[in-house]
Amino acid sequence: MLSRTFSRAASQRNVALILSGCGVYDGSEATEAVSALIHLSESKASVTCYAPDKDQMHVINHTNGEEMEEKRNVLVESARIARGAVEPLASLDSSSYDALIVPGGFGAAKNLSSFATQGPEMEVDADLSRVLDEFKGASKPIGLCCIAPTIAAKQFGGIGVKLTVGLSTGDEAVWPHAGAAGACEAMGAIHTDVDIDGVVVDLENKIVSSPAYMKNAAPHEVHFSVGKMVKEVMGLI
Ligand SMILES: *[C@@H]1O[C@H](CO)[C@@H](O)[C@H](O)[C@H]1NC(C)=O
Ligand SMILES: CC(=O)N[C@H]1CO[C@H](CO)[C@@H](O)[C@@H]1O
């Protein structure tokens, strides 16, 4: 009996996945979010999706990148990726989870934070800020990819969190947002340059990050990059 309970407890990993809409220019990057779901599923994690119940900062026409004159709700749009199963971020009870994962996409910089408009002067969504502090305080791992590590830079820059948003310099066609690395350092984070096949693990703070679509990479490379992050997070539980 005891061993049964034990093995069940050991295999049951509850992970909260934070979405920020649906679509690279105004929400969660779809490939990264789906990739995280697939890798978590392969890791036998039980996943619950959360998103802030508020309006998106922008709604972008993804065929031409232009802003559209309409309002959309971050939670409602995130439900597209979560196949309907998404809870308000304000209701996230950290004690129910073993790890937290935040995929990228401009939603992370527009709806989970204001990095897109304010850079290092950014604010972090108040509910996400609370949740990050709770996971960190309980020594539970937090994984982020693409532009989302900027949020960890803001939240934990004061303690010199180690992270990556890919390369800090490089061909602009390949690394279009390389300036984000300097912004992370301006917020107090210690940035390590890694290419699409790399991952940075801050063992002390249990913060894991990988570049994903910070690089103009192929979908399978992004899937691999997200997978590296997820695997390290699962290993830190
Ligand atoms: C989105 O952009 C395309 C390409 O410019 C345009 O044809 C279309 O009308 C736009 N759709 C909306 C709803 O604005
Ligand atoms: C429309 C709106 O409320 N957008 C917000 C998205 O989230 C960021 C971070 O909390 C805010 O700065 C935006 O104002």
Side-chain angles (χ1 to χ4, degrees), residues 60-70 72:
I60 301 292
N61 179 343
H62 277 65
T63 64
N64 63 6
E66 280 172 18
E67 194 180 340
M68 295 169 73
E69 292 297 317
E70 62 171 84
R72 292 195 191 184

Side-chain angles (χ1 to χ4, degrees), residues 98-132:
D98 302 300
L100 183 77
I101 296 213
V102 190
F106 274 95
K110 289 180 173 180
N111 304 320
L112 298 182
S113 76
S114 56
F115 181 70
T117 50
Q118 292 183 286
E121 306 304 316
M122 71 194 248
E123 57 174 34
V124 177
D125 173 90
D127 291 313
L128 182 57
S129 180
R130 164 188 66 85
V131 166
L132 288 167

Side-chain angles (χ1 to χ4, degrees), residues 19 42 80 120 139 147 171 174 177 180 184 194 208 212 229 233 235:
L19 299 174
E42 280 176 350
R80 294 172 180 275
S139 200
I147 196 73
D171 182 351
V174 184
H177 311 289
C184 287
V194 300
V208 182
M229 179 269 285
V233 166

